[in-house]
Amino acid sequence: MGRIRLQVIIALFAIALLVVGMGYMAFRVTTVTVPDYGGTYIEGVAGNPSIINPILSQSNPVDQDLVALIFTGLTRTNDRGEIVPDLAERWEISPGGTVYTFYLRQDVLWHDGAPFTADDVVYTVHAMQHGDFEGWAFLSDMWRTVGVESLDAYTVRFTLREPFAPFLEYTTIGLLPFHILGNISVGLLSESKFNAAPIGTGPFKVGVVSATSYELVANREYYGAAPYIDRIQLKFYPNETAVFEARQRGEVMGISRVLPEHLRAVSKDSDLQLYTGTLSGLNLVVLNLDKGIFQERAVRAAMLWALDRQALVDDVLGGQGVVAHSPILPSSWAYDAGVPRYQRDLAQARKALEGADWFDDDNDGVRERGNLKLEFVLLTNDDPVRARLIEMISQQLAEVGIRAIPQVVSWEELAGQRLRLRQYDAALIAWQDLPADPDPYPYWHSSQANENGANYANYISAQADLLLQEARLTNDVARRTEAYRQFQQLFAQDVPALLLYQPVYNYAVDEGVRSVQVGPMTDASDRFATVCSWTMATQRMLYSEAREKGLVTEPR
């Protein structure tokens, strides 16, 4: 009898285990792991905040990082450089392209609970238009020509003097609260206590602030998809190397910018994920086309054929760059993937030069034509990397009989005198933080070939002028795209400058932070473009419920 009882107990225990096991399997089969709210992300950044204000923050990267998390604008840019709605639900453009009417969201609250309205838009624009505005001149110069008025609490109208398609780019700037700042003189805005603990409309709001760190708390009233991460803490260090060392000590979870010399160590850290995105900028050699030796297209094309730009990127930059083939960046909707590409071809370079009657008759290694030598001074500023670049460029050009004499000067002399006054032969420079709108007018239109313009090459082309003007005067994307396609083809044919590379940005985040995405970036703060989807916590949820909430999409 005891033996039978024992067998019954064993059988019942086995059944119980089977039931539990089947229940667990059923749980596993019918549930999924999905993101949950929670967690604190700590990132090390180089520098300190100064003025956390969207219309005054352009000169400080740390300010820009915080502005990107705290403030939002009427519009924002997506990863193709297209302008899409943000605080504005939509907008209309008049047939003549001079009147823009924005219809605002009506569900937006400032971090202090006050409603966001058209008054905030008008106030922000008026602040940039004011004669005492202390921000960058490019903002005030543009906005001072724009009329702004509120038609009602949630409708704003802008009136331009003439059509200007890139205008929408300017509407991405973060907006300020009129109910807090309206009584402060614009000339004193930079001194306001608001800039230390600002109130915005963005996905994060100010938490605990100290001299060494800045805490942001998730804004659960955010009008967009609320962030999963509860808190983001930015810790301040004197430079990027100090941030890297702080990660090694375990003080931070993220490295805001990974320098090339730290890439190998970071890539070996199994607890870190490394993300790389292209920055919106160009490094190039501008040629002073007023100089006799640069006035022939054959010479300029030969120089580009002689350059091994990939070697420049690999050997000098440690691979941290992408060879450029167009003045419009590949991430832009206006980029022409079919633009002609100059690959290194020494035979083609020599053929072009000889076709233009440049020969080295005296065997001194430098080609000449009559009494004119094919030589020039290649300037750059006193940055070690740029100094190495012009040395290597000089060596490569020498292989086809072109002498480029490297010369380094201070940044103040290069930008403030040599470039501005066109007192140079050729110069290695960089255009940084190029706007999402691809408008190349400021750099290549003939009207900008003066002391106040950025057409440093003195590129004069009636055909290019017409294309750049047409693209500015129409809001028809198809027409703009075609105008820019033709301009890129013309640029490749004329070679008014030697395009080198587009810089890249490296960002490292602890593997415990998931769903991080880094795409093309206008500036470093764009690493936070998808921050609302980052997660540090998870939960299990019934598959049907998760799919209903849009947390999973694949069929089971």
Side-chain angles (χ1 to χ4, degrees), residues 12-23:
L12 291 173
F13 182 70
I15 291 170
L17 284 177
L18 180 61
V19 170
V20 170
M22 291 179 66

PDB file of all heavy atoms in Angstrom, residues 12-23:
ATOM      1  N   LEU A  12       1.673  12.481  -9.365  1.00  0.00           N
ATOM      2  CA  LEU A  12       1.069  13.812  -9.201  1.00  0.00           C
ATOM      3  C   LEU A  12       2.114  14.924  -9.318  1.00  0.00           C
ATOM      4  O   LEU A  12       1.867  15.985  -9.904  1.00  0.00           O
ATOM      5  CB  LEU A  12       0.366  13.898  -7.838  1.00  0.00           C
ATOM      6  CG  LEU A  12      -0.907  13.044  -7.688  1.00  0.00           C
ATOM      7  CD1 LEU A  12      -1.413  13.091  -6.255  1.00  0.00           C
ATOM      8  CD2 LEU A  12      -1.986  13.533  -8.649  1.00  0.00           C
ATOM      9  N   PHE A  13       3.312  14.659  -8.775  1.00  0.00           N
ATOM     10  CA  PHE A  13       4.386  15.645  -8.864  1.00  0.00           C
ATOM     11  C   PHE A  13       4.808  15.856 -10.318  1.00  0.00           C
ATOM     12  O   PHE A  13       5.033  16.984 -10.761  1.00  0.00           O
ATOM     13  CB  PHE A  13       5.582  15.170  -8.033  1.00  0.00           C
ATOM     14  CG  PHE A  13       6.738  16.136  -8.021  1.00  0.00           C
ATOM     15  CD1 PHE A  13       6.648  17.344  -7.351  1.00  0.00           C
ATOM     16  CD2 PHE A  13       7.915  15.829  -8.699  1.00  0.00           C
ATOM     17  CE1 PHE A  13       7.703  18.237  -7.349  1.00  0.00           C
ATOM     18  CE2 PHE A  13       8.976  16.716  -8.708  1.00  0.00           C
ATOM     19  CZ  PHE A  13       8.868  17.925  -8.014  1.00  0.00           C
ATOM     20  N   ALA A  14       4.886  14.756 -11.063  1.00  0.00           N
ATOM     21  CA  ALA A  14       5.261  14.850 -12.477  1.00  0.00           C
ATOM     22  C   ALA A  14       4.218  15.634 -13.262  1.00  0.00           C
ATOM     23  O   ALA A  14       4.543  16.446 -14.137  1.00  0.00           O
ATOM     24  CB  ALA A  14       5.434  13.447 -13.067  1.00  0.00           C
ATOM     25  N   ILE A  15       2.940  15.390 -12.934  1.00  0.00           N
ATOM     26  CA  ILE A  15       1.865  16.126 -13.616  1.00  0.00           C
ATOM     27  C   ILE A  15       1.965  17.616 -13.307  1.00  0.00           C
ATOM     28  O   ILE A  15       1.802  18.478 -14.180  1.00  0.00           O
ATOM     29  CB  ILE A  15       0.495  15.559 -13.205  1.00  0.00           C
ATOM     30  CG1 ILE A  15       0.331  14.146 -13.780  1.00  0.00           C
ATOM     31  CG2 ILE A  15      -0.636  16.463 -13.685  1.00  0.00           C
ATOM     32  CD1 ILE A  15      -0.893  13.414 -13.232  1.00  0.00           C
ATOM     33  N   ALA A  16       2.243  17.887 -12.015  1.00  0.00           N
ATOM     34  CA  ALA A  16       2.368  19.293 -11.613  1.00  0.00           C
ATOM     35  C   ALA A  16       3.501  19.970 -12.362  1.00  0.00           C
ATOM     36  O   ALA A  16       3.379  21.110 -12.837  1.00  0.00           O
ATOM     37  CB  ALA A  16       2.594  19.390 -10.101  1.00  0.00           C
ATOM     38  N   LEU A  17       4.641  19.293 -12.474  1.00  0.00           N
ATOM     39  CA  LEU A  17       5.765  19.853 -13.223  1.00  0.00           C
ATOM     40  C   LEU A  17       5.404  20.083 -14.676  1.00  0.00           C
ATOM     41  O   LEU A  17       5.766  21.095 -15.284  1.00  0.00           O
ATOM     42  CB  LEU A  17       6.975  18.917 -13.137  1.00  0.00           C
ATOM     43  CG  LEU A  17       7.755  18.923 -11.817  1.00  0.00           C
ATOM     44  CD1 LEU A  17       8.873  17.877 -11.871  1.00  0.00           C
ATOM     45  CD2 LEU A  17       8.339  20.293 -11.540  1.00  0.00           C
ATOM     46  N   LEU A  18       4.680  19.124 -15.236  1.00  0.00           N
ATOM     47  CA  LEU A  18       4.268  19.258 -16.633  1.00  0.00           C
ATOM     48  C   LEU A  18       3.355  20.461 -16.819  1.00  0.00           C
ATOM     49  O   LEU A  18       3.505  21.230 -17.773  1.00  0.00           O
ATOM     50  CB  LEU A  18       3.559  17.975 -17.089  1.00  0.00           C
ATOM     51  CG  LEU A  18       3.059  17.958 -18.537  1.00  0.00           C
ATOM     52  CD1 LEU A  18       4.238  18.112 -19.493  1.00  0.00           C
ATOM     53  CD2 LEU A  18       2.294  16.670 -18.830  1.00  0.00           C
ATOM     54  N   VAL A  19       2.421  20.630 -15.876  1.00  0.00           N
ATOM     55  CA  VAL A  19       1.494  21.766 -15.966  1.00  0.00           C
ATOM     56  C   VAL A  19       2.248  23.092 -15.865  1.00  0.00           C
ATOM     57  O   VAL A  19       2.017  24.028 -16.635  1.00  0.00           O
ATOM     58  CB  VAL A  19       0.413  21.661 -14.867  1.00  0.00           C
ATOM     59  CG1 VAL A  19      -0.396  22.961 -14.790  1.00  0.00           C
ATOM     60  CG2 VAL A  19      -0.509  20.479 -15.134  1.00  0.00           C
ATOM     61  N   VAL A  20       3.167  23.137 -14.878  1.00  0.00           N
ATOM     62  CA  VAL A  20       3.968  24.364 -14.715  1.00  0.00           C
ATOM     63  C   VAL A  20       4.797  24.632 -15.968  1.00  0.00           C
ATOM     64  O   VAL A  20       4.871  25.756 -16.468  1.00  0.00           O
ATOM     65  CB  VAL A  20       4.880  24.254 -13.479  1.00  0.00           C
ATOM     66  CG1 VAL A  20       5.880  25.419 -13.441  1.00  0.00           C
ATOM     67  CG2 VAL A  20       4.047  24.227 -12.216  1.00  0.00           C
ATOM     68  N   GLY A  21       5.408  23.555 -16.477  1.00  0.00           N
ATOM     69  CA  GLY A  21       6.225  23.714 -17.678  1.00  0.00           C
ATOM     70  C   GLY A  21       5.403  24.172 -18.861  1.00  0.00           C
ATOM     71  O   GLY A  21       5.819  25.065 -19.620  1.00  0.00           O
ATOM     72  N   MET A  22       4.226  23.584 -19.033  1.00  0.00           N
ATOM     73  CA  MET A  22       3.372  23.987 -20.145  1.00  0.00           C
ATOM     74  C   MET A  22       2.893  25.419 -19.964  1.00  0.00           C
ATOM     75  O   MET A  22       2.798  26.188 -20.929  1.00  0.00           O
ATOM     76  CB  MET A  22       2.175  23.033 -20.250  1.00  0.00           C
ATOM     77  CG  MET A  22       2.565  21.627 -20.706  1.00  0.00           C
ATOM     78  SD  MET A  22       1.152  20.514 -20.792  1.00  0.00           S
ATOM     79  CE  MET A  22       0.229  21.265 -22.126  1.00  0.00           C
ATOM     80  N   GLY A  23       2.620  25.770 -18.694  1.00  0.00           N
ATOM     81  CA  GLY A  23       2.191  27.140 -18.428  1.00  0.00           C
ATOM     82  C   GLY A  23       3.282  28.139 -18.745  1.00  0.00           C
ATOM     83  O   GLY A  23       3.042  29.201 -19.330  1.00  0.00           O
TER      84      GLY A  23
END
